[in-house]
């Protein structure tokens, strides 16, 4: 009986994780287009819902080495004047390019 419950719970968790990863790849991350280096000029936080529910998302304005400015989703470790790696992702479904910054 215990093995049956363990297997069924394991299968459901595996299915849910697979759905999450597929949705993340199709709608948000997608495939990597480009990676560039830049310097954080401004850091701010945003709440995704008007009700205030949900996780706090950190954004940063980054000046790339080419002189271009981008608004990127940033890790909480982003600080002013720190160098970051900006990765551009194109989702498979949906439009636009998403920019994510990670520390170097």
């Amino acid at each position: 009986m215990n093995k049956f419950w363990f297997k069924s719970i394991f299968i459901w968790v595996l299915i849910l994780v697979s759905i999450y990863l597929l949705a993340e790849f199709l709608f948000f991350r997608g495939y990597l287009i480009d990676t560039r280096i830049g310097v954080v000029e401004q850091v701010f936080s945003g709440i995704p819902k008007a009700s205030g529910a949900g996780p706090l998302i950190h954004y940063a304005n980054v000046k790339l080495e080419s002189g271009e400015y981008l608004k990127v989703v940033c890790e909480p470790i982003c600080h002013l004047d720190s160098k970051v790696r900006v990765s551009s992702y194109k989702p498979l479904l949906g439009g636009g390019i998403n920019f994510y910054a990670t520390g170097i």
Side-chain angles (χ1 to χ4, degrees):
M1 182 81 174
N2 281 341
K3 288 183 181 181
F4 173 74
W5 285 108
F6 179 74
K7 280 184 179 181
S8 63
I9 290 174
F10 179 75
I11 290 171
W12 276 108
V13 168
L14 189 63
I15 289 171
L16 291 175
V17 168
S18 299
I19 290 171
Y20 169 77
L21 292 175
L22 183 65
E24 177 79 14
F25 185 74
L26 288 176
F27 299 109
F28 300 107
R29 289 286 179 154
Y31 57 92
L32 179 65
I33 297 174
D34 190 18
T35 301
R36 297 182 268 180
I37 305 295
V39 177
V40 176
E41 297 268 322
Q42 181 183 11
V43 178
F44 50 97
S45 300
I47 299 173
K49 297 181 183 175
S51 65
L56 192 62
I57 298 175
H58 298 278
Y59 295 100
N61 287 335
V62 176
K63 182 178 181 181
L64 301 177
E65 291 175 337
S66 64
E68 182 181 1
Y69 283 91
L70 292 175
K71 179 180 174 184
V72 300
V73 176
C74 196
E75 294 178 346
I77 62 166
C78 283
H79 302 290
L80 291 176
D81 298 326
S82 62
K83 279 187 123 179
V84 292
R85 178 178 293 119
V86 178
S87 301
S88 308
Y89 291 93
K90 173 83 171 123
L92 295 180
L93 299 176
I97 297 174
N98 299 325
F99 299 100
Y100 296 93
T102 56
I104 293 182

